[in-house]
Amino acid sequence: MSRTIYGPDHQDFRRTVRGFVETEAQPNYARYCEQRLIDRDLWLKAGSLGLLGLHVPERYGGGDAADWRFTAVVLEELSRFSSGLSSSFGIHCDIVAPYLCDLTDDGQKTRWLPGFASGELITAIGMTEPGGGSDLANLRTTARKTGDGWLLNGAKTFITNGSRADLVVVAARTAPGRASRGISLFVVEAGTPGFARGTKLDKVGQAESDTAELFFDDAVVPPENLLGEEGRGFVYMMQRLPQERLNCAVSNLANAGAVLAETLRYVKSRKAFGTPIGSFQHNRFKLAEMTTALDVARSYVQDCVLAHVAGELTAVQAAKAKWWSAQVQNDILDNCVQLHGGYGYMRESPVARAWLDGRVSKIWAGTNEIMKEIIGRDLGI
Ligand SMILES: Cc1cc2nc3c(=O)[nH]c(=O)nc-3n(C[C@H](O)[C@H](O)[C@H](O)COP(=O)(O)OP(=O)(O)OC[C@H]3O[C@@H](n4cnc5c(N)ncnc54)[C@H](O)[C@@H]3O)c2cc1C
């Protein structure tokens, strides 16, 4: 079965993205990992190729692509090489984009979208707090209205692109005691008085993608930086989380597919007891299991992509796609490490890197347990 959901335009675009990864990202990748930061130059290059502003209206410098499959192509090509790159760019061009495109007035669009599309403004989103991320409705960061706008107080943690983002979409409580109905969204800009960042967090994987804690100590946010309507922040996040979870699912499977393909090459050439290791029945069965799991998961996720393109993806479908793909990915990565033997445990080997990088897919953007909560509640349980 080799059904594809992509047409010639997507495949042409795929060649552009693959070229970007091979010629721009790969040669500099080791440095990004060392400095734990992707160079601004790479962002600008991605912007110039139209990878960042895919869904930004043309008049603000974007590609105006209504078809989300173009985003899926970007995610797949980045994830085939590195889930950290996919995460950093994906947060910007796919997770933050719908907030800045859909919830902004013309003045805000003019201020932010051209730089967003060109890579001059790198963005992040701050939902998770040191006190917890799963229970989003319970967030503690506050925003108090003053004569000059808003005063933000609190902290966010694990924020991708956090240490260098020029703009951060921040969820804060504007009405104490109103739970999910008391949350609003703000754009906090670099240089805002009272806004500070911690040092880059030391993750076990994805070294190239910077992750930071953010602090708001009477941070002064002007009234024109409120996103959408006051008090509707939780609804806005819930409306956009299915796309974020589909983004994860597409990335998870592309990453697992690339590692499995590399492992297949390895097991055909590596010999033990005078025979290629892949030909031992146990290993052949493992490979058969992995390729089956990947094909079956890919089929479901592709259906979800088409549903999303048609505007029909539900939160439950996205939750299923996210947790299942993360599980399949992690199982595949672990088996592929095993098939590489000792080399699979060396940091220099791509499979070891993918294994460390991939573990977080069961945690971020809503843990596997939270995904199962969403699915379970839908069963009326
Ligand atoms: C590398 C990385 C990048 C990230 N990037 C971002 C970002 O850019 N922006 C952002 O806002 N956040 C980001 N996050 C945060 C991420 O979304 C959270 O870590 C995640 O939602 C889980 O929240 P938590 O870490 O507070 O865990 P907790 O909520 O404390 O959960 C801990 C454990 O308890 C379980 N648990 C919680 N509630 C339930 C329940 N009801 N039933 C069963 N089990 C439950 C969880 O599944 C988990 O296993 C990132 C995280 C990482 C690691």
Side-chain angles (χ1 to χ4, degrees):
M1 212 169 39
S2 59
R3 182 180 73 125
T4 177
I5 58 168
Y6 300 113
D9 288 354
H10 304 112
Q11 302 300 19
D12 280 349
F13 182 59
R14 184 182 298 283
R15 278 187 279 281
T16 303
V17 186
R18 193 168 291 187
F20 164 76
V21 172
E22 286 171 0
T23 59
E24 306 294 337
Q26 283 187 15
N28 300 306
Y29 178 74
R31 191 180 67 256
Y32 303 153
C33 289
E34 212 167 296
Q35 66 199 23
R36 292 196 282 146
L37 193 71
I38 297 164
D39 287 349
R40 170 81 65 169
D41 272 1
L42 193 71
W43 288 90
L44 295 174
K45 188 71 194 177
S48 72
L49 292 171
L51 312 190
L52 301 180
L54 272 173
H55 300 288
V56 169
E58 251 178 76
R59 65 180 183 284
Y60 297 108
D64 229 347
D67 181 349
W68 193 79
R69 282 173 293 182
F70 287 102
T71 297
V73 166
V74 172
L75 298 170
E76 285 178 352
E77 290 305 314
L78 295 176
S79 302
R80 274 163 41 86
F81 172 61
S82 138
S83 28
L85 272 185
S86 177
S87 159
S88 264
F89 282 109
I91 284 281
H92 176 86
C93 74
D94 191 41
I95 311 307
V96 175
Y99 291 89
L100 293 188
C101 292
D102 307 346
L103 302 176
T104 41
D105 59 29
D106 284 346
Q108 292 173 321
K109 284 183 172 62
T110 305
R111 280 164 67 203
W112 297 323
L113 291 183
F116 178 93
S118 70
E120 281 154 305
L121 291 183
I122 296 171
T123 63
I125 184 157
M127 302 183 195
T128 307
E129 303 190 340
S134 299
D135 186 5
L136 205 50
N138 222 358
L139 60 82
R140 305 258 167 84
T141 298
T142 57
R144 188 167 54 81
K145 214 180 233 168
T146 67
D148 302 328
W150 301 86
L151 277 187
L152 263 62
N153 281 285
K156 299 287 173 182
T157 195
F158 309 139
I159 306 307
T160 304
N161 300 333
S163 76
R164 76 108 63 95
D166 303 292
L167 300 182
V168 187
V169 173
V170 176
R173 180 163 303 289
T174 41
R178 297 206 65 203
S180 62
R181 278 172 297 167
I183 294 171
S184 305
L185 300 180
F186 298 89
V187 170
V188 179
E189 302 180 68
T192 296
F195 168 41
R197 310 161 202 246
T199 52
K200 284 179 228 152
L201 296 172
D202 188 15
K203 307 189 296 298
V204 298
Q206 304 198 359
E208 73 277 30
S209 157
D210 71 295
T211 311
E213 201 165 357
L214 309 179
F215 304 100
F216 308 97
D217 182 9
D218 279 343
V220 184
V221 176
E224 58 272 20
N225 282 25
L226 175 71
L227 266 188
E229 286 175 39
E230 184 184 337
R232 291 196 35 92
F234 190 77
V235 175
Y236 294 146
M237 290 188 284
M238 290 305 117
Q239 287 169 338
R240 284 157 187 77
L241 277 170
Q243 177 167 306
E244 176 165 358
R245 290 170 181 156
L246 183 61
N247 166 321
C248 293
V250 166
S251 305
N252 295 344
L253 297 184
N255 178 254
V259 174
L260 182 55
E262 191 284 318
T263 303
L264 271 174
R265 282 191 292 276
Y266 184 77
V267 299
K268 286 176 185 168
S269 63
R270 175 80 172 176
K271 290 190 174 162
F273 302 94
T275 186
I277 56 169
S279 64
F280 297 122
Q281 191 189 51
H282 173 83
N283 294 343
R284 207 167 51 235
F285 279 16
K286 277 283 167 212
L287 291 158
E289 287 166 15
M290 287 192 275
T291 189
T292 306
L294 190 59
D295 280 355
V296 172
R298 197 179 275 142
S299 189
Y300 182 75
V301 170
Q302 287 186 342
D303 278 354
C304 289
V305 171
L306 294 180
H308 189 44
V309 171
E312 292 164 2
L313 181 74
T314 67
V316 172
Q317 288 167 337
K320 288 177 182 172
K322 184 187 179 278
W323 92 260
W324 185 256
S325 63
Q327 192 65 50
V328 166
Q329 176 200 22
N330 273 267
D331 291 347
I332 289 178
L333 297 179
D334 197 62
N335 280 318
C336 289
V337 166
Q338 190 70 14
L339 285 165
H340 278 76
Y343 290 115
Y345 199 60
M346 298 298 115
R347 277 191 191 274
E348 69 193 51
S349 96
V351 68
R353 175 162 68 77
W355 180 59
L356 287 167
D357 289 353
R359 182 59 181 84
V360 74
S361 70
K362 294 200 277 186
I363 297 172
W364 64 15
T367 64
N368 277 18
E369 294 73 33
I370 294 300
M371 296 304 99
K372 291 175 197 176
E373 272 297 315
I374 293 170
I375 299 159
R377 278 202 296 268
D378 187 57
L379 298 172
I381 300 166

